[in-house]
Amino acid sequence: MQIGLVGLGRMGANMSRRWLRDGHTVVGHARHVETVNGLVADKAISAGATSLKDLVGQLAAPRVVWLMVPAASVDATLDEIVPLLARGDVVVDGGNSYYVDDIRRAKTLAKEGIHYLDCGTSGGVFGLERGYCLMIGGPAEAVKRLDPIFRSLAPGVASAPRTPGRTGEPSAAENGYLHCGPSGAGHFVKMVHNGIEYGLMAAYAEGLNILKHANAGAAEREVSAEITPLREPDNYKYDLDLTEVAEVWRRGSVVASWLLDLTAQAFMGNGDLSNFEGRVSDSGEGRWTSIAAIDVGAPAPILTTALYERFTSRGEADFADRVLSAMRYGFGGHEEQKG
């Protein structure tokens, strides 16, 4: 199939390479002409487009246009490209848009006879070799038509052992892609996927931090009314090698995962992770997951707490901490402890 790809960052470029491997044709466009020309020279895209008009002009009808742009740029991109499209064309948003925006966009494009699919795409920079897990929302007719494109991106059934009880021809989900439902459903599932990711990452980080502090009993501790004493210091004199702990957990442990694999790689590169400052961004999905949990009344304390921890990592709790310190000083004359 022929695909017009808008957005040629790390994800988009690697997705194109995967499509090309499977015999598809990709016409690519990016904001910077140097990016486009470089990928043409690298044979990562079939051809480059100098503008969205040029891209649409190179595609045979009915067209497929796949967007891999930031969520904040989707509406502006659609405003420019939709007037260039025709009835029967399909637009796929493969980024991390808010599913509520997908519902609105799908209704707007449907009036023009254009199909809009939202496709949550998970795989990151490793997707070229590992494949991409795809969560798709939109009309079934358009999803079915683009099946070859989704199948080429997906990891395939061999990427994981088949679940006991599943027999016969592997389903699309077993191959790594799923039509989740009507417009917005794909990004809704991807949104919650990312919320879970926040919680998993926080659990690993907190657990490894406890292990990092397991030698607290070996340190000299200041005696002060302001500091709770360590009751049994002899119980906390373990100088643990976290690089090796992460490595052993990867093998046979119930907490083994790709996230743990990546953590082990990070420790191998720098055992104390001093090359990171610990400021953790959130790109929106964790917030949207928490909002959805509140809206439908589904308790999600772990996911929400993990989101708040990301705020804290960026200093968003500093003022609240100063308020706490001021109150302690006010009611008890408690001086702040330095260091």
Side-chain angles (χ1 to χ4, degrees), residues 114-244:
I114 299 169
H115 300 297
Y116 176 91
L117 303 182
D118 49 284
C119 182
T121 308
S122 181
V125 297
F126 293 92
L128 175 60
E129 299 303 329
R130 291 171 56 96
Y132 298 90
C133 175
L134 306 175
M135 295 143 272
I136 310 156
E141 173 191 349
V143 174
K144 183 177 180 181
R145 182 177 132 203
L146 269 59
D147 186 82
I149 293 175
F150 298 133
R151 185 175 289 269
S152 294
L153 288 179
V157 67
S159 62
R162 295 193 79 179
T163 301
R166 285 188 177 269
T167 58
E169 185 69 19
S171 66
E174 287 185 278
N175 278 294
Y177 65 105
L178 177 66
H179 181 205
C180 299
S183 296
H187 277 152
F188 189 92
V189 174
K190 177 57 161 54
M191 174 187 78
V192 176
H193 164 284
N194 283 24
I196 293 170
E197 178 184 297
Y198 283 26
L200 291 172
M201 292 171 71
Y204 281 123
E206 291 180 12
L208 289 164
N209 194 37
I210 293 171
L211 297 182
K212 177 73 172 177
H213 289 82
N215 64 348
E220 290 290 334
R221 300 178 67 85
E222 179 183 350
V223 178
S224 168
E226 299 296 319
I227 301 175
T228 302
L230 186 60
R231 291 173 60 91
E232 300 291 344
D234 286 345
N235 292 345
Y236 300 98
K237 292 186 176 179
Y238 301 114
D239 189 13
L240 300 171
D241 186 336
L242 299 189
T243 301
E244 294 304 296

Side-chain angles (χ1 to χ4, degrees), residues 18-32:
R18 198 167 172 91
W19 278 322
L20 294 183
R21 286 181 179 179
D22 232 16
H24 301 290
T25 301
V26 180
V27 180
H29 172 68
R31 289 181 299 170
H32 303 294

Side-chain angles (χ1 to χ4, degrees), residues 273-286:
L273 303 184
S274 57
N275 51 324
F276 295 96
E277 294 183 4
R279 290 178 57 87
V280 187
S281 299
D282 71 288
S283 54
E285 299 88 349

Side-chain angles (χ1 to χ4, degrees), residues 31-48:
R31 289 181 299 170
H32 303 294
V33 66
E34 300 84 8
T35 300
V36 178
N37 292 340
L39 291 174
V40 170
D42 193 39
K43 297 184 179 179
I45 56 177
S46 308

